[in-house]
C-alpha cells in the first residue's frame, strides 16, 4: 500500500452524489472472544484496488490458538464486487507440526467451484466470506433505503462447502468506541440462512468513516466467538 494517512473521521453520513470506492485501506482491530476460555489477539482488514481489480484480505490471529487468512480477489463493477477467487488458510497453533489447512474456491459467470472441487450453480451478486464486508459498504453507501432499522439485505454467499442465501437485518444506530471517540454505526446481523456450526458474521458500519467496518463479530456458537474492535483510525493510501 502506498503512503498512508488516517481516514477522515468527519466524512458526512449522507451518500455522495457519485459513489467513490475507498482508496486502498488497512484497518487494524483488537480481538476478544471465547474459545475454551477467554481469547485475545489481533486482526486486520486490507482493501486493495487498482483500476477494475480488487483484493480483500482478512487476517485473524487468536493468541496461542490459530491464525486464519481469508482472501478474495476479482472485479469492481457498477453493481459492486464480483469475486473470482477465494482462499482461506488456517494454521492451528495447538498442533505444532500440522500443515496449514487451505480452502480454495473459484467463480465464473455460471458456476462456483467449492473447496472440495464440486461445481455448483452460482447466484446473482454472489459474495464470499471476505468480499461481503466491502460489498456491505457499497450497498449501504448507495442504497439509502437500507439505512434504517429493520431493513433487510438478501445476500448470496459462497462458503467453502455450499452456496446459499443469507438475510441480514439492519439494526438501530449504535455507538461503537473508536480511537476517534464513540462513532454511530449501522449494525448488520444475520436474520436467517445460517447452518448450525457454520461461522456467522456481524458487522458495524460507520457512516462518518466512509461506511467502513469498525467492529466485526465472528460467531460459531454461543460458546465460540471472536469480537473485533477497531484499534486505530483506518490507514488509507494517498489518492
Amino acid at each position: 500500500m502506498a503512503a498512508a494517512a488516517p481516514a477522515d473521521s468527519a466524512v458526512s453520513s449522507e451518500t455522495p452524489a457519485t459513489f467513490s470506492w475507498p482508496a486502498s485501506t488497512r484497518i487494524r482491530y483488537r480481538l476478544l472472544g471465547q474459545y475454551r476460555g477467554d481469547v485475545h489477539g489481533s486482526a486486520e482488514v486490507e482493501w486493495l484496488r487498482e483500476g477494475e481489480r480488487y483484493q480483500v484480505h482478512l487476517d485473524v490471529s487468536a493468541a496461542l490458538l490459530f491464525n486464519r487468512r481469508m482472501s478474495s480477489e476479482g472485479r469492481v463493477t457498477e453493481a459492486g464486487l464480483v469475486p473470482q477467487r477465494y482462499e482461506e488458510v488456517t494454521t492451528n497453533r495447538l498442533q505444532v507440526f500440522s500443515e496449514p489447512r487451505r480452502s480454495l474456491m473459484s467463480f465464473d459467470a455460471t458456476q462456483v467451484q467449492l473447496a472440495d472441487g464440486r461445481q455448483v450453480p452460482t447466484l446473482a451478486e454472489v459474495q464470499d466470506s471476505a468480499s461481503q464486508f466491502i460489498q456491505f459498504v457499497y450497498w449501504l453507501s448507495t442504497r439509502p433505503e437500507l439505512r434504517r432499522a429493520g431493513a433487510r439485505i438478501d445476500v448470496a454467499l459462497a462458503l467453502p462447502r455450499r452456496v446459499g442465501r443469507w438475510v441480514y437485518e439492519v439494526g438501530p444506530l449504535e455507538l461503537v468506541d473508536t480511537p476517534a471517540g464513540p462513532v454511530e454505526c449501522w449494525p448488520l446481523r444475520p436474520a436467517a440462512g445460517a447452518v448450525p456450526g457454520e461461522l456467522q458474521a456481524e458487522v458495524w458500519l460507520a457512516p462518518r468513516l466512509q461506511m467502513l467496518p469498525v467492529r466485526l463479530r465472528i460467531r460459531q456458537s454461543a460458546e465460540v466467538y471472536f469480537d473485533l474492535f477497531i484499534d486505530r483510525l483506518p490507514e488509507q493510501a494517498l489518492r
Side-chain angles (χ1 to χ4, degrees):
M1 190 167 68
D8 183 0
S9 62
V11 173
S12 169
S13 61
E14 298 298 320
T15 302
T18 301
F19 175 71
S20 181
W21 289 95
S24 294
T25 302
R26 180 183 293 118
I27 310 175
R28 303 179 194 270
Y29 303 86
R30 68 182 187 277
L31 181 150
L32 305 172
Q34 286 287 323
Y35 180 83
R36 302 177 184 174
D38 292 340
V39 174
H40 301 270
S42 61
E44 178 178 297
V45 170
E46 187 173 30
W47 155 257
L48 301 170
R49 181 190 172 203
E50 185 172 343
E52 296 182 351
R53 303 294 303 174
Y54 81 85
Q55 292 182 356
V56 179
H57 304 289
L58 171 56
D59 291 282
V60 178
S61 177
L64 305 179
L65 292 176
F66 71 88
N67 293 339
R68 174 170 291 174
R69 181 175 177 85
M70 295 178 278
S71 297
S72 172
E73 62 179 84
R75 297 187 297 115
V76 177
T77 74
E78 292 184 357
L81 302 185
V82 177
Q84 295 176 316
R85 185 180 186 274
Y86 172 80
E87 184 177 27
E88 185 175 293
V89 181
T90 304
T91 302
N92 188 338
R93 293 184 177 179
L94 297 176
Q95 299 174 356
V96 178
F97 299 107
S98 65
E99 293 293 323
R101 186 175 73 249
R102 299 178 182 273
S103 297
L104 182 63
M105 302 168 58
S106 60
F107 302 73
D108 63 29
T110 61
Q111 293 185 318
V112 177
Q113 182 168 307
L114 301 179
D116 61 6
R118 286 182 295 134
Q119 292 190 333
V120 299
T122 192
L123 297 173
E125 296 187 308
V126 68
Q127 300 298 313
D128 57 47
S129 298
S131 69
Q132 63 172 328
F133 298 116
I134 306 301
Q135 185 70 3
F136 286 145
V137 173
Y138 174 78
W139 279 329
L140 262 71
S141 296
T142 60
R143 295 171 57 183
E145 73 274 13
L146 297 179
R147 298 194 298 274
R148 62 175 180 81
R152 291 199 164 201
I153 305 175
D154 189 347
V155 182
L157 190 59
L159 300 173
R161 292 189 294 272
R162 73 180 182 103
V163 176
R165 305 207 73 89
W166 289 49
V167 177
Y168 283 82
E169 185 169 296
V170 180
L173 282 167
E174 294 182 11
L175 285 177
V176 176
D177 287 330
T178 77
V183 173
E184 283 191 326
C185 296
W186 292 110
L188 277 64
R189 299 183 173 94
V195 171
E198 206 166 54
L199 293 180
Q200 300 181 51
E202 303 172 47
V203 58
W204 283 255
L205 303 176
R208 286 182 55 203
L209 293 172
Q210 299 173 286
M211 213 65 78
L212 293 171
V214 301
R215 181 183 177 191
L216 301 168
R217 178 184 291 152
I218 301 171
R219 181 184 297 276
Q220 185 165 338
S221 67
E223 297 78 26
V224 179
Y225 65 88
F226 303 102
D227 228 337
L228 282 58
F229 295 88
I230 190 170
D231 193 45
R232 65 192 74 175
L233 286 177
E235 303 166 39
Q236 291 191 322
L238 300 176
R239 292 184 182 273

